[in-house]
Amino acid sequence: MSQSTSSGMAAAAAGTPAAPIEAGATPTAPAETTRRAGRSRRSPATSLLLHGTLIVASLVAIGPIVWVLLSSFKPGYAVQSTNLTLVQDPTLTNYRYVLFDTNFLRWLLNSVLVAAGTMGIGIFLSATTGYAVSRFNFPGRRPLMMVFLVTQMFPVAILIVPIYTIMARLGLINTLPSLVIAYLTIAVPFCAWMLKGYFDSIPTSLDEAAALDGCGPFATFWRVVLPLARPAVAVTAFYTFLTAWGEVAYASAFIQTDNQFTLAYGLRQFVPQYNPQWEYLTAAAVLVTVPAGLVFMIAQRHLVSGLTAGGTKG
């Protein structure tokens, strides 16, 4: 007896006629049916209120960004004017001045070097530390993680003085490596905690299978566990990059000459105490967001591909 005949007999026995299924039609999933029913029961007033709230929240979020973008194309008198205008006498002079009449490109190179160094070293230290704490029992394991947690409780202003003293004794003041080391003290403890939790979710049976195939601890970590943790590594890369890209406190304390400034600290040159140059600051701010946006797009792509690869069998 065919499946359709048996389902029809079961429906007839229950006293309910079986609904015919047209050829090529896809049965509707229960969850999708529930969502459709919920939307159909929503009143027009509720739907209007919901969409209105979302629109207002979106405008509040993107409003300042759009205003900075528009202001970057205005001349100085238009930016400082009390009359609110979206576009007034648009010009590219602000961008031309920032790129060619200042040390912006030098600051950009310094920021890229510092952020790339922080990201590369931070990923390695965080991943290896998180994997070791997740997989091995060794003396001082719990105190180590507690130290990582405690370091996140101190504000940056308190840590500047001791770190500055260490850098001065090492002769690293006014150098880019001092910023990389300082930023690693911020990023590594948090990222190690995050990666440790992700490694805990990966079955240890994979490590055992790799050990049977002759892989050592580092080979198991590099070839088996780390590819599965690609989403967490992508988040770690993005977090460490942003930590170094937009930080100002350490840069203002450790860097003393203009050719060593990073972008975040260099932007302060456009807002002196008595003559703020908002038109140049907004143009520089727009340029600063471009590399960070590219890094976010790359990290997002790897995050999605990592989730997809982890959800399929090889």
Side-chain angles (χ1 to χ4, degrees), residues 169-250:
R169 292 180 178 179
L170 295 177
L172 296 178
I173 295 299
N174 199 36
T175 62
L176 299 182
S178 65
L179 295 181
V180 174
I181 297 173
Y183 297 152
L184 288 175
T185 62
I186 301 174
V188 169
F190 173 79
C191 293
W193 260 104
M194 181 182 64
L195 288 174
K196 187 262 183 186
Y198 198 92
F199 289 144
D200 288 342
S201 65
I202 299 177
T204 56
S205 58
L206 297 177
D207 301 55
E208 298 170 357
L212 293 176
D213 290 338
C215 293
F218 187 79
T220 301
F221 163 75
W222 183 258
R223 298 180 180 178
V224 179
V225 178
L226 194 60
L228 297 177
R230 189 182 303 172
V233 172
V235 175
T236 300
F238 185 60
Y239 176 79
T240 52
F241 180 87
L242 287 186
T243 298
W245 188 256
E247 203 279 332
V248 179
Y250 285 117

Side-chain angles (χ1 to χ4, degrees), residues 129-143:
T129 302
Y131 178 74
V133 175
S134 174
R135 290 297 195 265
F136 305 108
N137 289 320
F138 53 88
R141 174 174 173 270
R142 288 183 177 274

